[in-house]
Amino acid sequence: MVAGSDVSVVRALHRNRQIVRELIVIAAAIASYFGVRGLIATRVDVAYRNAETVVSWERSAGLFVEPQLQQAVVDHGWLVEVLGYIYIFGHWPVLLTTLLWLLIRHRDAYRVFRNAMLLSGSIGLVIFALFPVAPPRFLTGYGFADTVTEHTSAYRVLQPPAFVNQYAAVPSLHFGWNLLMGIAVASLGTHWSIRLFGWLMPVLMLTAIVLTANHYIFDGLAGGVIALLSLLAAYRLAGPKVRGGGC
């Protein structure tokens, strides 16, 4: 009986050490991501020219509707506030909570989604450096307004300007990473309400990033594609147990 109890204690300690180690890895990765992103040298004039290029692409595809969409909601104060809260508190709090849930309850799936985030983040950093883009909120000539900053300073607290490259609109990993966590929750949740949250979360975030003028529709599409390709690569690199649905 004593021996069995000792084994349980050893296993619990080992599991706790693994959890702490993974939390340190995630924290270091997040710090490195924002540190490098903030240090990327960006020519502001190039970022604005690239923003006009994105607008031109969207116009060619009939997608440049962001100014009209935002204008339709700015007169509704309560809706603007809801979108701001989704944009701020629906990102990092949701990402970190979901990763911790995966780490504790679905260890194999955690490794896959963690690797997908790391891979997509690395791709994002390369694009930020090669193709800096000013976000819509800076293009006031089109009628955009920075509704998040106008209504709250919370986001600047969660992501201090010193650690943020303001000209890294493309791709939107703000949406891409939420999409990854949404897939995890929708596929692994044990209750319909949890799975529903997984489906709705990325949709709400895509809506928020566009209507708060923090990203173009193109940014969201690019972030989503990069996140999905990274998830596919992470699954391919995983063992057969995970690929076979053992997670």
Side-chain angles (χ1 to χ4, degrees):
M1 180 68 67
V2 174
S5 177
D6 289 342
V7 170
S8 298
V9 170
V10 170
R11 287 178 177 174
L13 289 174
H14 178 66
R15 183 183 68 250
N16 291 338
R17 281 198 298 268
Q18 285 184 316
I19 292 175
V20 171
R21 183 183 63 202
E22 286 295 333
L23 292 177
I24 292 173
V25 168
I26 288 296
I30 291 172
S32 298
Y33 170 80
F34 282 105
V36 173
R37 175 175 165 173
L39 290 173
I40 291 175
T42 300
R43 289 180 56 192
V44 175
D45 57 336
V46 174
Y48 276 91
R49 285 203 301 270
N50 288 341
E52 293 292 347
T53 298
V54 171
V55 170
S56 178
W57 289 343
E58 287 197 349
R59 278 178 167 161
S60 298
L63 291 176
F64 188 60
V65 295
E66 293 93 328
Q68 297 93 314
L69 291 177
Q70 190 185 44
Q71 190 58 44
V73 302
V74 292
D75 293 331
H76 304 280
W78 67 271
L79 183 54
V80 171
E81 289 192 18
V82 168
L83 291 169
Y85 279 113
I86 292 173
Y87 181 79
I88 298 170
F89 299 107
H91 187 54
W92 283 114
V94 169
L95 296 187
L96 295 177
T97 300
T98 304
L99 284 173
L100 183 60
W101 170 67
L102 289 173
L103 177 58
I104 295 173
R105 300 292 299 273
H106 305 280
R107 194 70 57 86
D108 291 334
Y110 163 79
R111 296 188 184 96
V112 170
F113 285 94
R114 174 202 62 190
N115 291 341
M117 285 187 66
L118 294 176
L119 179 56
S120 57
S122 299
I123 295 172
L125 288 175
V126 173
I127 297 175
F128 297 153
L130 298 178
F131 191 70
V133 177
R137 66 179 185 271
F138 290 171
L139 304 185
T140 55
Y142 289 101
F144 288 115
D146 187 356
T147 57
V148 172
T149 299
E150 289 177 0
H151 287 81
T152 178
S153 61
Y155 187 60
R156 305 311 172 206
V157 173
L158 290 175
Q159 286 186 205
F163 296 97
V164 176
N165 181 348
Q166 298 294 326
Y167 300 96
V170 178
S172 172
L173 294 180
H174 206 108
F175 167 67
W177 285 348
N178 269 70
L179 177 60
L180 290 176
M181 296 301 98
I183 292 172
V185 172
S187 60
L188 296 170
T190 55
H191 192 272
W192 69 266
S193 60
I194 297 176
R195 294 193 296 272
L196 179 61
F197 175 76
W199 284 106
L200 291 178
M201 176 172 53
V203 175
L204 293 173
M205 184 55 66
L206 179 60
T207 302
I209 65 173
V210 172
L211 295 184
T212 59
N214 277 281
H215 287 281
Y216 309 92
I217 293 175
F218 174 81
D219 306 350
L221 295 176
V225 168
I226 290 172
L228 291 176
L229 290 177
S230 297
L231 181 59
L232 177 61
Y235 268 115
R236 291 291 179 86
L237 293 173
K241 177 184 176 181
V242 176
R243 291 200 300 268
C247 66

